[in-house]
Amino acid sequence: MHHDTDLINIVAVGLGLAFIFGALANKLRLSPLVGYLVAGICVGPFTPGFVADQALANQLAELGVMLLMFGVGLHFSLKDLMAVKAIAIPGAIGQILVATLLGWGVASLMGWPVIHGIVFGFSLATASTVVLLRAMEERRLLETLRGKIAVGWLIVEDLACVLALVMMPVLAGVFGPDAARENHSIGSVLADIGWTFVQLGLFVAVMLVVGRRVIPWILERIAGTGSRELFTLAVLAIALGVAFGSAMLFGVSFALGAFFAGMLLNESELSHKAATDSLPLRDAFAVLFFVSVGMLFNPMIIIEHPWQVLATVLIIMFGKSAAAFFIVRAFGHPTSTALTISASLAQIGEFAFIIAGLGVALQILPPTGQSLVLAGALVSIMLNPLVFGLLDRWQARQLALQPAEPEPEEADGPSRDLHDHAIVIGYGRVGSELAQVLRDKGVPVLVIDDNKEHVESAHAAGIAAIRGSAAADRVLAEAHPERAKIAVLAIPQPLEAGEALAKLRAINPGLTLLARAHSDAEVRHLLEHGADGTVMAERELAYSLAEMIMATPPYRTMGQQHSIPVV
């Protein structure tokens, strides 16, 4: 048996249990985050059996935080925020203040210092991006006004958390346990805050002046080499390198540095490729982050502090949701919009764990507070689908009583009311070319793609497009396959394509289905799931090149004797 395998143990056991419990949570129609947190509880010090190394878990969690924040920056959209700024900015700020005050009130009843109560309350104020987007995508709400308000609201919350990551070390220096040893005047506190913002300003200036030019330039040169592994390595090196450099040179957090690296990459034309190539590693470390967070949770808190756990859950699911409801209604939006925003925010997730973890590390939040935050997250994430289910039933009853929508909810782009059309699933390099060729030949085309930029590109080209996964029932329903003539799956993911093929075949047995493949195994998989024909890109490329070769003078006579097979 090899020694010093603590890192291997936590990665192997942590990811293994996260997979098992994540799959189980998904089967129960819960967020996989619940499964990841439960996996962490199982390998934590508060449950019997295998106990992972907490110090290593914390370092892996830090990597997870950096890559999570890099992903947040990579998908940060100022345009989305500006579209709904009139309600999202004041609404999110008001809801954060209400949640923070409620959390401070509960902390005061427990006898905690004021700073502990503020950090605790702020931890409960921000919703999980993963949970919110999943709920919105399932209900086809992302492109509606309600969805845009919810996403804009979430962007403001994320920005507030980024600011909190900057200010918490300053607050710890003034109000933390070591503050009593030093004399703090108003001037010294303002000086500390001023110096923090000077460092932040220097960091932002360097990133905007240097990073905006250097980072895209590096990626373009690496992309030009054609090496996928080098490109992926460059993306990860930039994300982690900027995070590390920002902490060492400017004193800002790793998380903030990674967020800015993602924001700058977001402006590059290669941002989608960067997001796609770095996604597997980001997902793996994000899972380890949630596992490490679960390790900190002591299940006994539910028995030892039941009313505090109940109060925490009530703040998350009712306190801040009620605040959001009344704010949205005060801005003149209908009840259905207000209820959708409230349901979306009735949970907490990633940023809550980051804020609570930093609070404990800086000693401005007790470990009990972190356990309460984790308990509130587990319960609220598990109950969030139930909240949306109740909302769906209420809206169905309201729609039956009043069929007319009180507020326009149509998605942007050309009309989707098509007949005898071709459904093109995937609007990447292959799908976009295919859709344009079909459109030029007079074929009505409707695109399905889960990437926002791709959908916007299709709309700009005058092509109707739906944002979402082709394997989702509601997405396929909007594409009206029962009225279509053909569907082409131009996505390189065979598992998603196979699921979509089976559903399309069930909806319209007469629909012609074609799919893209990259191996013989993928061809078999797609044909077994209903495809009428497949195109293997590498084989087609080889045949095309062979035809070109046989058309050249040295081989032209041979080409007349031997024909190239066509598939």
Side-chain angles (χ1 to χ4, degrees):
M1 178 69 181
H2 295 286
H3 299 288
D4 301 324
T5 60
D6 289 342
L7 178 60
I8 297 174
N9 292 344
I10 188 172
V11 172
V13 177
L15 289 180
L17 288 177
F19 165 70
I20 294 171
F21 287 111
L24 182 61
N26 191 64
K27 186 72 174 176
L28 298 173
R29 302 190 65 80
L30 298 173
S31 170
L33 297 188
V34 175
Y36 306 154
L37 293 172
V38 171
I41 295 171
C42 291
V43 299
F46 303 106
T47 53
F50 173 79
V51 177
D53 188 307
Q54 186 66 60
L56 280 176
N58 289 338
Q59 292 187 46
L60 291 173
E62 193 68 44
L63 274 174
V65 169
M66 291 159 69
L67 292 174
L68 270 173
M69 292 296 292
F70 175 67
V72 171
L74 204 55
H75 294 97
F76 178 80
S77 175
L78 190 61
K79 184 175 71 173
D80 286 349
L81 176 58
M82 290 297 102
V84 291
K85 63 181 183 297
I87 180 172
I89 295 176
I93 292 173
Q95 177 246 296
I96 289 172
L97 288 174
V98 170
T100 302
L101 288 173
L102 291 173
W104 169 74
V106 171
S108 298
L109 294 176
M110 292 188 285
W112 294 0
V114 173
I115 186 63
H116 290 192
I118 292 174
V119 174
F120 175 67
F122 188 82
S123 299
L124 307 180
T126 57
S128 166
T129 305
V130 175
V131 176
L132 184 144
L133 290 180
R134 178 178 176 179
M136 288 290 176
E137 285 178 351
E138 285 180 352
R139 288 158 183 82
R140 309 298 304 127
L141 293 175
L142 274 179
E143 301 301 322
T144 66
L145 180 59
R146 286 178 283 171
K148 290 176 180 177
I149 292 174
V151 171
W153 199 294
L154 205 66
I155 290 171
V156 177
E157 290 188 348
D158 289 351
L159 289 175
C161 288
V162 169
L163 183 61
L165 292 175
V166 174
M167 293 303 301
M168 283 177 68
V170 178
L171 295 176
V174 177
F175 301 105
D178 296 330
R181 302 174 191 171
E182 303 177 11
N183 293 323
H184 289 286
S185 63
I186 295 177
S188 65
V189 172
L190 292 176
D192 288 341
I193 295 174
W195 174 240
T196 298
F197 277 99
V198 167
Q199 289 179 299
L200 178 62
L202 287 172
F203 167 67
V204 172
V206 169
M207 292 300 293
L208 292 179
V209 174
V210 179
R212 179 176 284 176
R213 293 176 172 83
V214 173
I215 291 176
W217 182 84
I218 292 174
L219 284 182
E220 287 172 6
R221 296 298 178 277
I222 297 299
T225 66
S227 172
R228 180 173 179 175
E229 56 268 31
L230 268 181
F231 184 84
T232 303
L233 184 61
V235 171
L236 294 173
I238 289 170
L240 300 179
V242 170
F244 180 78
S246 63
M248 295 299 104
L249 298 177
F250 300 99
V252 301
S253 67
F254 289 128
L256 183 61
F259 174 76
F260 265 90
M263 278 186 63
L264 292 178
L265 271 181
N266 189 21
E267 298 181 5
S268 169
E269 294 180 357
L270 296 168
S271 61
H272 178 62
K273 180 173 172 56
T276 302
D277 286 4
S278 64
L279 187 60
L281 197 59
R282 277 194 289 136
D283 285 347
F285 275 100
V287 169
L288 289 174
F289 164 68
F290 292 118
V291 170
S292 67
V293 168
M295 289 174 62
L296 302 173
F297 178 65
N298 184 359
M300 289 302 295
I301 195 169
I302 299 174
I303 299 173
E304 295 172 356
H305 302 283
W307 77 264
Q308 291 94 330
V309 172
L310 179 61
T312 301
V313 173
L314 290 176
I315 291 172
I316 296 168
M317 300 197 68
F318 295 99
K320 67 173 188 170
S321 294
F325 176 84
F326 288 115
I327 290 171
V328 174
R329 289 292 289 139
F331 276 82
H333 290 273
T335 302
S336 61
T337 301
L339 287 173
T340 300
I341 304 301
S342 299
S344 302
L345 303 174
Q347 39 80 19
I348 58 172
E350 308 87 69
F351 269 116
F353 306 144
I354 296 172
I355 298 296
L358 182 59
V360 171
L362 295 173
Q363 298 182 346
I364 52 176
L365 180 70
T368 302
Q370 187 176 36
S371 293
L372 289 174
V373 170
L374 292 174
L378 276 168
V379 174
S380 64
I381 292 174
M382 284 192 291
L383 293 181
N384 197 245
L386 177 62
V387 173
F388 265 104
L390 294 173
L391 176 60
D392 290 341
R393 283 196 285 272
W394 179 86
Q395 289 181 334
R397 287 197 301 269
Q398 293 299 114
L399 193 60
L401 295 174
Q402 185 182 3
E405 278 288 333
E407 188 173 22
E409 294 285 6
E410 272 300 313
D412 297 330
S415 172
R416 302 170 184 169
D417 187 19
L418 302 174
H419 292 77
D420 298 332
H421 55 291
I423 300 172
V424 176
I425 298 173
Y427 197 73
R429 289 178 297 177
V430 176
S432 58
E433 292 288 341
L434 173 63
Q436 193 60 51
V437 169
L438 292 175
R439 187 164 172 267
D440 291 343
K441 293 184 179 296
V443 178
V445 177
L446 188 146
V447 166
I448 297 176
D449 197 295
D450 60 2
N451 181 271
K452 180 183 176 184
E453 286 75 19
H454 288 179
V455 171
E456 290 177 348
S457 177
H459 287 167
I463 299 173
I466 300 171
R467 182 183 175 190
S469 169
D473 294 336
R474 295 195 184 196
V475 175
L476 290 181
E478 286 189 33
H480 296 293
E482 71 281 357
R483 302 198 308 235
K485 290 295 185 182
I486 191 170
V488 184
L489 287 94
I491 54 176
Q493 295 87 15
L495 296 180
E496 182 182 347
E499 189 176 353
L501 283 168
K503 291 182 176 181
L504 286 166
R505 179 63 71 209
I507 296 171
N508 185 354
L511 192 65
T512 301
L513 299 175
L514 303 177
R516 166 187 175 184
H518 289 280
S519 68
D520 290 326
E522 289 185 11
V523 168
R524 288 193 298 271
H525 175 77
L526 295 170
L527 291 176
E528 288 170 358
H529 282 75
D532 294 304
T534 62
V535 176
M536 192 190 300
E538 292 80 3
R539 184 177 294 160
E540 291 298 323
L541 177 61
Y543 286 149
S544 296
L545 288 172
E547 288 179 353
M548 294 175 68
I549 291 170
M550 301 310 291
T552 58
Y555 302 104
R556 192 170 296 156
T557 57
M558 294 177 61
Q560 295 172 357
Q561 300 171 8
H562 304 284
S563 60
I564 302 297
V566 179
V567 294

Short mmCIF file of all heavy atoms in Angstrom, two decimals, residues 393-415:
data_model
loop_
_atom_site.label_atom_id
_atom_site.label_comp_id
_atom_site.label_asym_id
_atom_site.label_seq_id
_atom_site.Cartn_x
_atom_site.Cartn_y
_atom_site.Cartn_z
N ARG A 393 -48.63 25.31 -10.86
CA ARG A 393 -50.07 24.99 -10.72
C ARG A 393 -50.90 26.26 -10.56
O ARG A 393 -51.99 26.37 -11.13
CB ARG A 393 -50.27 24.04 -9.53
CG ARG A 393 -49.88 22.60 -9.84
CD ARG A 393 -50.45 21.64 -8.80
NE ARG A 393 -49.74 21.71 -7.55
CZ ARG A 393 -48.65 21.00 -7.26
NH1 ARG A 393 -48.15 20.17 -8.16
NH2 ARG A 393 -48.05 21.11 -6.09
N TRP A 394 -50.39 27.21 -9.81
CA TRP A 394 -51.12 28.47 -9.63
C TRP A 394 -51.24 29.21 -10.96
O TRP A 394 -52.32 29.72 -11.30
CB TRP A 394 -50.39 29.35 -8.60
CG TRP A 394 -51.06 30.68 -8.39
CD1 TRP A 394 -52.08 30.95 -7.52
CD2 TRP A 394 -50.77 31.91 -9.07
NE1 TRP A 394 -52.44 32.27 -7.62
CE2 TRP A 394 -51.65 32.89 -8.56
CE3 TRP A 394 -49.85 32.28 -10.04
CZ2 TRP A 394 -51.62 34.21 -9.01
CZ3 TRP A 394 -49.83 33.59 -10.49
CH2 TRP A 394 -50.71 34.54 -9.97
N GLN A 395 -50.14 29.25 -11.72
CA GLN A 395 -50.18 29.95 -13.00
C GLN A 395 -51.09 29.24 -14.00
O GLN A 395 -51.73 29.89 -14.83
CB GLN A 395 -48.75 30.08 -13.55
CG GLN A 395 -47.91 31.08 -12.76
CD GLN A 395 -46.51 31.24 -13.32
OE1 GLN A 395 -45.99 30.33 -13.97
NE2 GLN A 395 -45.89 32.37 -13.07
N ALA A 396 -51.13 27.90 -13.92
CA ALA A 396 -52.04 27.16 -14.81
C ALA A 396 -53.50 27.50 -14.50
O ALA A 396 -54.32 27.67 -15.41
CB ALA A 396 -51.80 25.66 -14.66
N ARG A 397 -53.83 27.61 -13.22
CA ARG A 397 -55.20 27.99 -12.84
C ARG A 397 -55.51 29.41 -13.29
O ARG A 397 -56.61 29.68 -13.79
CB ARG A 397 -55.38 27.87 -11.32
CG ARG A 397 -55.45 26.44 -10.82
CD ARG A 397 -56.04 26.38 -9.41
NE ARG A 397 -55.26 27.16 -8.47
CZ ARG A 397 -54.25 26.66 -7.74
NH1 ARG A 397 -53.91 25.38 -7.88
NH2 ARG A 397 -53.59 27.41 -6.89
N GLN A 398 -54.55 30.32 -13.12
CA GLN A 398 -54.77 31.70 -13.54
C GLN A 398 -54.93 31.81 -15.04
O GLN A 398 -55.74 32.59 -15.54
CB GLN A 398 -53.59 32.58 -13.09
CG GLN A 398 -53.47 32.74 -11.58
CD GLN A 398 -54.70 33.39 -10.99
OE1 GLN A 398 -55.44 32.77 -10.22
NE2 GLN A 398 -54.95 34.63 -11.35
N LEU A 399 -54.16 31.01 -15.78
CA LEU A 399 -54.25 31.03 -17.23
C LEU A 399 -55.60 30.51 -17.70
O LEU A 399 -56.16 30.99 -18.68
CB LEU A 399 -53.12 30.18 -17.83
CG LEU A 399 -52.88 30.33 -19.33
CD1 LEU A 399 -52.52 31.77 -19.68
CD2 LEU A 399 -51.78 29.39 -19.79
N ALA A 400 -56.15 29.52 -16.97
CA ALA A 400 -57.47 28.99 -17.31
C ALA A 400 -58.56 30.04 -17.07
O ALA A 400 -59.53 30.14 -17.83
CB ALA A 400 -57.76 27.74 -16.50
N LEU A 401 -58.39 30.84 -16.03
CA LEU A 401 -59.37 31.88 -15.72
C LEU A 401 -59.20 33.10 -16.63
O LEU A 401 -60.17 33.75 -16.98
CB LEU A 401 -59.22 32.31 -14.26
CG LEU A 401 -59.54 31.24 -13.20
CD1 LEU A 401 -59.21 31.75 -11.80
CD2 LEU A 401 -61.01 30.84 -13.28
N GLN A 402 -57.94 33.40 -16.97
CA GLN A 402 -57.65 34.59 -17.77
C GLN A 402 -56.59 34.21 -18.81
O GLN A 402 -55.40 34.39 -18.59
CB GLN A 402 -57.12 35.73 -16.88
CG GLN A 402 -56.92 37.04 -17.61
CD GLN A 402 -56.36 38.10 -16.70
OE1 GLN A 402 -56.06 37.85 -15.54
NE2 GLN A 402 -56.19 39.30 -17.21
N PRO A 403 -57.01 33.69 -19.97
CA PRO A 403 -56.06 33.20 -20.97
C PRO A 403 -55.07 34.24 -21.47
O PRO A 403 -53.96 33.91 -21.83
CB PRO A 403 -56.95 32.71 -22.11
CG PRO A 403 -58.30 32.48 -21.47
CD PRO A 403 -58.41 33.49 -20.38
N ALA A 404 -55.47 35.49 -21.50
CA ALA A 404 -54.58 36.52 -22.04
C ALA A 404 -53.45 36.80 -21.07
O ALA A 404 -53.68 37.00 -19.88
CB ALA A 404 -55.36 37.80 -22.32
N GLU A 405 -52.25 36.85 -21.57
CA GLU A 405 -51.09 37.18 -20.73
C GLU A 405 -51.12 38.67 -20.38
O GLU A 405 -51.28 39.51 -21.26
CB GLU A 405 -49.79 36.87 -21.48
CG GLU A 405 -49.38 35.41 -21.41
CD GLU A 405 -48.88 35.03 -20.04
OE1 GLU A 405 -48.37 35.90 -19.32
OE2 GLU A 405 -49.03 33.86 -19.66
N PRO A 406 -50.94 39.02 -19.11
CA PRO A 406 -50.95 40.41 -18.73
C PRO A 406 -49.68 41.15 -19.15
O PRO A 406 -49.62 42.34 -19.11
CB PRO A 406 -51.06 40.36 -17.20
CG PRO A 406 -50.43 39.05 -16.84
CD PRO A 406 -50.75 38.12 -17.95
N GLU A 407 -48.66 40.39 -19.53
CA GLU A 407 -47.39 41.01 -19.88
C GLU A 407 -46.78 40.24 -21.03
O GLU A 407 -46.79 39.01 -21.03
CB GLU A 407 -46.46 40.96 -18.67
CG GLU A 407 -45.18 41.75 -18.83
CD GLU A 407 -44.39 41.78 -17.52
OE1 GLU A 407 -44.59 40.92 -16.69
OE2 GLU A 407 -43.58 42.70 -17.37
N PRO A 408 -46.26 40.90 -22.06
CA PRO A 408 -45.69 40.16 -23.20
C PRO A 408 -44.51 39.33 -22.77
O PRO A 408 -43.63 39.80 -22.07
CB PRO A 408 -45.25 41.28 -24.16
CG PRO A 408 -45.11 42.50 -23.31
CD PRO A 408 -46.11 42.36 -22.20
N GLU A 409 -44.52 38.06 -23.18
CA GLU A 409 -43.46 37.15 -22.80
C GLU A 409 -42.80 36.50 -24.01
O GLU A 409 -42.16 35.48 -23.91
CB GLU A 409 -44.02 36.04 -21.89
CG GLU A 409 -44.52 36.53 -20.54
CD GLU A 409 -43.40 36.86 -19.57
OE1 GLU A 409 -42.22 36.83 -19.98
OE2 GLU A 409 -43.70 37.16 -18.42
N GLU A 410 -42.99 37.08 -25.20
CA GLU A 410 -42.43 36.48 -26.40
C GLU A 410 -40.91 36.64 -26.42
O GLU A 410 -40.37 37.68 -26.05
CB GLU A 410 -43.01 37.14 -27.65
CG GLU A 410 -44.31 36.51 -28.12
CD GLU A 410 -44.16 35.04 -28.48
OE1 GLU A 410 -43.21 34.67 -29.19
OE2 GLU A 410 -44.99 34.26 -28.03
N ALA A 411 -40.23 35.62 -26.85
CA ALA A 411 -38.79 35.68 -26.98
C ALA A 411 -38.42 36.57 -28.17
O ALA A 411 -39.22 36.83 -29.05
CB ALA A 411 -38.22 34.29 -27.16
N ASP A 412 -37.17 37.04 -28.19
CA ASP A 412 -36.69 37.87 -29.28
C ASP A 412 -36.48 37.00 -30.51
O ASP A 412 -36.45 35.78 -30.45
CB ASP A 412 -35.37 38.54 -28.87
CG ASP A 412 -35.56 39.47 -27.68
OD1 ASP A 412 -36.66 40.02 -27.55
OD2 ASP A 412 -34.62 39.62 -26.89
N GLY A 413 -36.27 37.68 -31.65
CA GLY A 413 -35.92 36.97 -32.86
C GLY A 413 -37.10 36.74 -33.78
O GLY A 413 -38.25 37.07 -33.47
N PRO A 414 -36.83 36.15 -34.97
CA PRO A 414 -37.89 35.88 -35.96
C PRO A 414 -38.95 34.93 -35.41
O PRO A 414 -38.72 34.19 -34.46
CB PRO A 414 -37.12 35.24 -37.12
CG PRO A 414 -35.70 35.67 -36.93
CD PRO A 414 -35.51 35.81 -35.46
N SER A 415 -40.11 34.95 -36.05
CA SER A 415 -41.23 34.11 -35.60
C SER A 415 -40.88 32.63 -35.71
O SER A 415 -40.21 32.18 -36.65
CB SER A 415 -42.47 34.42 -36.45
OG SER A 415 -43.49 33.50 -36.16
#
